[in-house]
Amino acid sequence: MLKFMRKKTVSVWKKDSRTLIAHGVLDDDIYGIELDVSVNIEDLRISAIEGKWNRWTTPECPRAIPELQRAVGFLIAEPDFSQKAHKVIGRKACRHFANLLLECSHSLREAALLGEWEDRKAAGEEARLGDITAEKAAPPPPPQSPPSAPRAAPVESAACPDEERGIDDKSRVLSADSPGLVIDLHVHTSPASPCSSVPVAEVIEEAKRIGLDGICLTDHNYVWTAPEVAALREEHGFLVLRGNEITTDQGDMLVFGLEEDIKGIIRLEELRKKVLQAGAFVIVAHPFRGFLTFGVGQLGLTPEKAMERSLFQHVDAVEVMNGKVTAKENQFAAEVASGLDLPVTGGSDAHEVSEVGVYATRFYETIRDEKDLIRALRGGNYVPLAYRKEKGF
Amino acid sequence: MANILTYSRNRCTCVEQVDENTLRATCTLQDTLTDAFVEILVGLPDLEIVDVRCEVKRTEQEPCKDPALSLAKVIGVRIGSGMLKIIKGLVAETTECKQLGFMVEECCHGVILSFTKDVLLVSSPRPTDQEEAREFYGKMVKENIRLYNRCAAFAPGSDLVRGVDPPK
Ligand SMILES: [Fe+2]
């Protein structure tokens, strides 16, 4: 039987020589929305937008309507337009309006191409529509690396060999009553992670302020170089370590000890091979994020069933305290990890200053550099904790 | 001439229950330039894409004309948070026909919305009772603080987040 249907229609017409108008309608089992979007033909800039709810869910959904005006001025042919629509209209107004706005905008772009084709033909040019679409295809989005100072070429790991430090293995293990070393293993910074709003220096200073012993920079598919991180450590007098949150076909993975800059979506199995080759360590980040939320939580997924997921065969540990998921989702991850007998970690997944240290991992070993960190992670002598809460922040 | 449409589009996304363990979601797009179809099969309770099929009947986009076009790379992806980035990335590895990737996403959204509808049907407050609705959605955002400030309805100042602490 049919469970759900969403219909969307868009009609585009030319109001005058300068303006195209799209009228979009979204109608599904839950929502009914209409949108009128005007754009200047010359630069495809949104000059006016008007929305209307026909059916909605919460009593506050109508608050989305005035927020739609934020889209005025957006250039719909820009490569980052869809990202902007999600971020601005989806977040500030409503994601269903953002969805319909994208549908209208895409239709407007195609209508503009058709218009150009007609004009060229009328001018006696021999133009094929396919050529014009290829010509006008949006350029690929710019690389997401920060536009900051040129980055140093990767050099050898920041870890320093034990022999140089004259430390034997036994001295690493802290005594049972030691409070251990608390490190936030999952932190994002701006601009390395486009979704974060905090420069690295602010993250570090906040971590120091709340009394953490260290942090790991785990920006999305981003490799900090050893000299960069060494400089940060020196400048702030604080333990800053490197990780990388890599998106795989099976979700996000926190990887420590892998220098390779991986772009795009990698298969988890392939990442696993690289991790093993490099002697690195991989933790599955927030494995059930969003899975137990409103609606989808009714699926009846049990920890036993979730343990069968093949992804758990390719990771070394499970993040069971993550600051971006619900308590239930963290609890569920903990049950799965316990059933599989996998080590567990905590990390804030901070994207804002106030989130640093929400969760962290307490290690009962000395950690002075990345080599220590990987050794400690392998040793399994650590526990996740709700750091800010414990400290009363 | 001014009132004649220069372009029109119709997109329909459907989700149906095939059997106890499988959902089928389809997205059909017909517009002035394109006629395309995508179907995914989704395994329960994992919400994993177990099969995918696509067909482009009419297009002006060169990359979409490839008759061997396959979206098989998305098999194994789970529908849920973070899926868009993964689907986009995997489809981009196979083809530059972005529309097909978008159609897979629409199918996945449809699946999520079908569950949202189930929940609203069994637990929705009466549409006429504002206070009851406020309580229902207020509880929802408290239980899932990620919703806070996720849209206008859950933004600071809205009745639904009255008394809810913003996430730290
Ligand atoms: Fe993260």
Side-chain angles (χ1 to χ4, degrees):
Chain A
M1 201 174 91
L2 194 69
K3 264 172 79 73
F4 180 83
M5 185 190 282
R6 167 170 279 190
K7 292 156 283 178
K8 287 187 278 183
T9 60
V10 183
S11 304
V12 181
W13 68 96
K14 204 169 172 179
K15 185 186 163 205
D16 52 45
S17 59
R18 293 188 309 272
T19 315
L20 278 176
I21 295 184
H23 177 68
V25 177
L26 178 155
D27 215 25
D28 67 29
D29 296 37
I30 307 172
Y31 301 97
I33 289 174
E34 288 182 44
L35 206 51
D36 286 289
V37 185
S38 305
V39 295
N40 303 327
I41 292 174
E42 196 189 358
D43 55 0
L44 294 182
R45 185 185 297 274
I46 296 180
S47 56
I49 183 166
E50 222 172 294
K52 180 182 157 204
W53 282 110
N54 294 324
R55 287 175 300 112
W56 60 95
T57 52
T58 88
E60 297 282 349
C61 288
R63 289 166 60 99
I65 299 294
E67 302 291 341
L68 296 173
Q69 295 311 312
R70 292 173 185 266
V72 173
F74 282 10
L75 292 162
I76 65 172
E78 258 183 358
D80 66 344
F81 171 73
S82 100
Q83 219 179 337
K84 251 165 112 177
H86 283 300
K87 219 168 171 175
V88 179
I89 300 306
R91 289 285 185 101
K92 297 293 176 194
C94 164
R95 62 200 174 95
H96 305 290
F97 269 109
N99 183 295
L100 185 57
L101 174 61
L102 288 173
E103 203 73 74
C104 288
S105 306
H106 193 255
S107 300
L108 282 162
R109 283 185 65 181
E110 297 217 318
L113 286 176
L114 275 170
E116 191 173 331
W117 182 52
E118 297 288 348
D119 290 349
R120 285 199 197 178
K121 274 195 307 185
E125 254 183 68
E126 247 191 58
R128 276 182 55 236
L129 182 58
D131 295 339
I132 299 177
T133 55
E135 241 174 65
K136 298 278 173 167
Q144 303 207 325
S145 313
S148 55
R151 311 188 50 216
V155 296
E156 57 179 313
S157 158
C160 48
D162 290 349
E163 308 79 66
E164 285 173 27
R165 302 193 307 233
I167 302 163
D168 69 34
D169 253 11
K170 278 179 203 144
S171 72
R172 301 175 178 287
V173 182
L174 301 173
S175 68
D177 56 354
S178 156
L181 222 69
V182 181
I183 298 177
D184 187 342
L185 288 178
H186 189 166
V187 173
H188 295 275
T189 65
S190 172
S193 290
C195 49
S196 165
S197 58
V198 208
V200 65
E202 282 180 41
V203 168
I204 297 171
E205 285 307 312
E206 177 67 3
K208 274 171 82 173
R209 188 189 72 81
I210 63 173
L212 281 170
D213 296 301
I215 55 164
C216 278
L217 304 177
T218 51
D219 289 302
H220 294 288
N221 290 70
Y222 184 89
V223 181
W224 284 88
T225 66
E228 280 172 324
V229 171
L232 286 169
R233 266 190 240 178
E234 183 135 325
E235 187 186 337
H236 296 274
F238 190 71
L239 180 62
V240 182
L241 300 160
R242 295 183 300 163
N244 189 344
E245 185 168 17
I246 296 175
T247 305
T248 74
D249 61 330
Q250 298 293 305
D252 291 339
M253 302 292 150
L254 296 170
V255 180
F256 302 89
L258 186 68
E259 296 266 346
E260 189 177 337
D261 191 6
I262 292 168
K263 293 291 173 219
I265 310 293
I266 185 171
R267 294 259 156 202
L268 178 57
E269 281 169 44
E270 203 183 313
L271 178 66
R272 183 63 180 168
K273 275 186 210 150
K274 290 178 189 286
V275 162
L276 289 175
Q277 262 167 19
F281 193 87
V282 59
I283 303 170
V284 54
H286 43 65
F288 299 100
R289 184 174 68 180
F291 207 80
L292 305 169
T293 49
F294 186 56
V296 184
Q298 317 302 312
L299 287 167
L301 180 72
T302 61
E304 290 71 31
K305 181 88 188 142
M307 280 175 217
E308 293 168 11
R309 290 187 180 178
S310 63
L311 83 91
F312 291 109
Q313 292 161 18
H314 303 296
V315 301
D316 299 305
V318 182
E319 186 185 51
V320 301
M321 283 195 181
N322 171 284
K324 292 287 175 187
V325 311
T326 65
K328 270 188 206 165
E329 287 159 355
N330 274 334
Q331 177 57 33
F332 193 86
E335 283 171 37
V336 170
S338 153
L340 291 168
D341 209 15
L342 281 167
V344 293
T345 66
S348 65
D349 207 350
H351 289 70
E352 307 277 344
V353 164
S354 60
E355 293 168 350
V356 176
V358 167
Y359 293 119
T361 303
R362 190 188 298 280
F363 290 89
Y364 296 100
E365 278 177 63
T366 315
I367 294 172
R368 278 154 297 205
D369 53 37
E370 286 160 16
K371 201 171 174 190
D372 283 352
L373 173 69
I374 287 164
R375 193 194 319 257
L377 284 167
R378 287 222 187 89
N381 196 12
Y382 45 86
V383 290
L385 74 157
Y387 179 78
R388 272 193 188 252
K389 203 169 169 194
E390 269 189 27
K391 289 282 175 181
F393 284 109
Chain B
M1 174 85 179
N3 290 328
I4 307 288
L5 293 185
T6 56
Y7 183 92
S8 62
R9 168 174 289 191
N10 195 340
R11 188 194 296 276
C12 184
T13 306
C14 291
V15 181
E16 62 191 84
Q17 186 98 36
V18 177
D19 57 45
E20 215 177 288
N21 302 314
T22 322
L23 294 179
R24 176 174 174 264
T26 59
C27 180
T28 311
L29 171 73
Q30 281 180 309
D31 64 33
T32 308
L33 298 178
T34 310
D35 186 343
F37 172 80
V38 166
E39 173 189 84
I40 60 169
L41 290 183
V42 179
L44 299 173
D46 259 327
L47 285 189
E48 184 178 323
I49 299 177
V50 292
D51 202 5
V52 64
R53 192 163 71 83
C54 64
E55 191 184 348
V56 179
K57 293 175 196 158
R58 173 166 53 79
T59 180
E60 293 296 330
Q61 306 269 350
E62 278 311 314
C64 301
K65 287 181 180 167
D66 179 1
L69 223 161
S70 153
L71 298 172
K73 280 205 171 182
V74 303
I75 293 175
V77 172
R78 262 182 297 277
I79 296 177
S81 172
M83 67 180 178
L84 296 190
K85 189 172 163 192
I86 297 173
I87 291 170
K88 221 171 251 154
L90 290 173
V91 171
E93 280 175 20
T94 318
T95 170
E96 283 179 39
C97 181
K98 287 183 188 159
Q99 184 55 250
L100 287 179
F102 186 68
M103 291 172 78
V104 174
E105 290 172 18
E106 288 280 289
C107 289
C108 295
H109 281 308
V111 169
I112 292 172
L113 285 165
S114 73
F115 288 106
T116 307
K117 177 188 158 189
D118 286 349
V119 173
L120 289 171
L121 276 177
V122 293
S123 54
S124 177
R126 288 188 301 275
T128 48
D129 191 330
Q130 289 283 100
E131 196 43 43
E132 202 180 311
R134 200 192 74 79
E135 211 174 287
F136 174 80
Y137 289 107
K139 188 169 161 254
M140 195 168 103
V141 73
K142 254 186 217 136
E143 276 174 9
N144 183 8
I145 199 65
R146 254 200 324 248
L147 291 174
Y148 188 92
N149 214 1
R150 265 299 169 103
C151 65
F154 294 125
S158 156
D159 247 10
L160 305 182
V161 297
R162 205 195 308 151
V164 177
D165 288 333
K168 277 194 175 173

